[in-house]
Amino acid sequence: MRDLSAGERAGLRSGEAGRRRHDVFGKRPPTYRNACWEGDHKRIPVRVDVEGQALCPWVTWFIDVATKVIVGVAVTPHEPARDAVLAALRTGISRTDPYGPCGGLPTVVRVDRGKEFLCQAVSRALGAFAVPVDDLPAYKPYRKGTVEALNSAVEEMFLVSLPGYTHRARPVGAHRPDEVADLLSFADFVDVLLGWVRWWNTEHQPSGLQPGLTPMAAWEADPTPVEDADEERLAFFALEDDGRPRKISTSGVRWRRRFYIAPWMVGHVGTLVRLRYLPHYDGQIEVFSSEGRGRHLGTAYLAEEATLEQRRALSAVREKKARALKADLKAAEKLRRTRYTATTTPGTPRPRRTVTGQQAQAEIARAKATDLAVRALPDLIPPRDPPAGWARPRPAPPKPRPGAAPQPPASDDASIAPASQTEE
């Protein structure tokens, strides 16, 4: 052990994370604002009330490396997808109300190899503004240390004080989590989280900046020009195209077998439009004209949307079906597996459960009654004869009788016919 370094001994005790604590990491040279953004997801270790369910939300955010200002934030009640990445980027790039004043177009966006960050939708959206995505090697969090430090800071400085914090120490034997009624609602949690983001940007003085400067002050003190995105092009940011023109009818615009309506559609029945929508969200769509570059006409909302009580009742029915299906699968797996009794002498293994012949026939009959392939009647409607111009297969030659001489294969060429036939 004396020949091993302290990092190698820590790695033997606690793995790669322990070894990495003894490594030496360099720092990137200081840059200017918007030179690089770093983005990441973080699972919030706080249980919140989401329509009666206690869930741990996720936050997706981007931070400017030079000034430590948080430029874009998006929160989801579950694991995020590409829509969360696009929403956070939209809040960072746009500097109009209610976003800003920090933001603009970054020179590069640095992320890890998460599939949500490297998907085609994100690359296409940033590529429209000529912003490259720098994908770092996997399992190298120190390569984007600014956003990783932000992930640790938000938990140590803010999340530990919220009700429903999952890493809180509890008395011995107290394993019951907090009741849903005692937790923050999802809307209240998003409100306090955004309040903490404002405090970080305007009041907190993180290390790495000049003494006495907040991230917002460091941003404003940087003389580097900010490149703003064109608002007309930003209207298409994060939106996916439907791909084909549609017509406004008296019931609205039909998309995915449902209708979307809006007050501005009055007087536009018969107009051809193109639809754009946010990924993974079908509650509303953006309607554009189908001519030229496509002028934004307005937003359309789902008609006859289900109420909260209906959605809760539907969730209860689906949960009941899921539990019933899980119980059926468990029972079927138990019946499928054959277990045998233990034996101490050589002999044929004996099954633990013995069925009678009547029970076996009854279960086989029930299976046949529900098997659609067995109940099918392919000859109920005989097929029609093929057209006369189709080539038909040749009939199979008759099988030779036992003891008879083999017959030569039939052929249409007279040159290979038997000699007795050619002499005639």
Side-chain angles (χ1 to χ4, degrees), residues 373-409:
V374 175
R375 298 169 59 187
L377 301 175
D379 298 331
L380 180 62
I381 302 176
R384 294 181 298 178
D385 293 335
W390 285 18
R392 304 191 180 207
R394 293 182 179 180
K399 296 182 180 180
R401 291 174 297 176
Q407 296 292 333

Side-chain angles (χ1 to χ4, degrees), residues 322-338:
R323 289 196 301 266
L325 180 59
K326 187 180 297 184
D328 292 342
L329 292 176
K330 186 177 180 180
E333 180 65 18
K334 187 176 181 180
L335 293 175
R336 184 187 67 84
R337 298 177 61 182
T338 303

Side-chain angles (χ1 to χ4, degrees), residues 6-23 25 139 141-142:
E8 292 172 338
R9 292 194 297 269
L12 293 176
R13 287 193 301 267
S14 56
E16 176 64 18
R19 185 201 64 80
R20 192 178 296 161
R21 284 194 291 267
H22 294 266
D23 286 350
F25 303 100
Y139 306 105
Y142 55 88

Side-chain angles (χ1 to χ4, degrees), residues 40 72 90 97 105-106 111 113 119 127 130 140 167 198 215 221 233 254 257 281 284 338 353 397 399 407 422:
D40 197 11
R90 173 68 181 270
D97 291 335
L105 290 176
V111 297
R113 291 186 176 271
C119 67
K140 299 290 190 297
H167 297 167
R198 287 191 295 269
R233 296 176 59 189
R254 185 177 175 86
R257 298 181 295 181
Y281 180 63
Q284 69 183 44
T338 303
R353 181 174 298 178
K399 296 182 180 180
Q407 296 292 333
T422 56

Side-chain angles (χ1 to χ4, degrees), residues 100-309:
C102 303
L105 290 176
T107 304
V108 65
V109 175
R110 188 182 299 149
V111 297
D112 56 12
R113 291 186 176 271
K115 62 179 182 180
E116 300 86 11
F117 292 99
L118 299 180
C119 67
Q120 185 178 3
V122 175
S123 301
R124 185 170 57 247
L126 289 176
F129 297 104
V131 177
V133 179
D134 184 9
D135 55 324
L136 301 176
Y139 306 105
K140 299 290 190 297
Y142 55 88
R143 299 288 296 271
K144 50 182 180 65
T146 306
V147 72
E148 292 294 342
L150 176 64
N151 291 337
S152 301
V154 67
E155 183 169 355
E156 297 174 1
M157 303 171 62
F158 172 63
L159 300 179
V160 293
S161 61
L162 297 181
Y165 181 63
T166 58
H167 297 167
R168 182 182 297 112
R170 297 180 181 273
V172 177
H175 301 291
R176 295 187 59 185
D178 299 332
E179 298 292 337
V180 178
D182 300 332
L183 303 176
L184 289 174
S185 65
F186 180 74
D188 293 338
F189 169 76
V190 175
D191 184 50
V192 296
L193 179 63
L194 294 181
W196 182 86
V197 170
R198 287 191 295 269
W199 171 85
W200 172 279
N201 287 340
T202 59
E203 300 182 26
H204 180 56
Q205 300 177 7
S207 60
L209 300 179
Q210 296 181 7
L213 284 183
T214 63
M216 182 69 70
W219 172 276
E220 295 175 349
D222 194 327
T224 305
V226 177
E227 182 182 1
D228 289 321
D230 185 7
E231 290 298 327
E232 183 179 355
R233 296 176 59 189
L234 196 59
F236 295 90
F237 186 81
L239 296 179
E240 295 186 357
D241 196 346
D242 176 57
R244 66 185 182 91
R246 299 173 183 269
K247 184 179 293 186
I248 299 179
S249 66
T250 55
S251 300
V253 179
R254 185 177 175 86
W255 181 58
R256 293 181 178 177
R257 298 181 295 181
R258 300 188 297 182
F259 284 100
Y260 291 77
I261 59 176
W264 60 265
M265 290 185 180
V266 177
H268 290 79
V269 174
T271 305
L272 289 178
V273 294
R274 296 285 294 270
L275 307 182
R276 292 178 179 269
Y277 58 93
L278 287 172
H280 306 297
Y281 180 63
D282 56 1
Q284 69 183 44
I285 56 176
E286 302 297 330
V287 184
F288 296 80
S289 62
S290 61
E291 301 175 355
R293 297 181 57 184
R295 182 173 54 89
H296 184 226
L297 300 178
T299 303
Y301 301 91
L302 179 64
E304 300 179 358
E305 184 177 358
T307 62
L308 178 60
E309 291 75 13

Side-chain angles (χ1 to χ4, degrees), residues 45-78:
V46 176
R47 300 168 71 245
V48 300
D49 180 11
V50 182
E51 296 185 353
Q53 296 182 348
L55 302 176
C56 289
W58 288 68
V59 61
T60 303
W61 46 20
F62 290 86
I63 184 172
D64 181 59
V65 176
T67 61
K68 308 296 187 297
V69 63
I70 302 174
V71 291
V73 184
V75 188
T76 52
H78 46 72

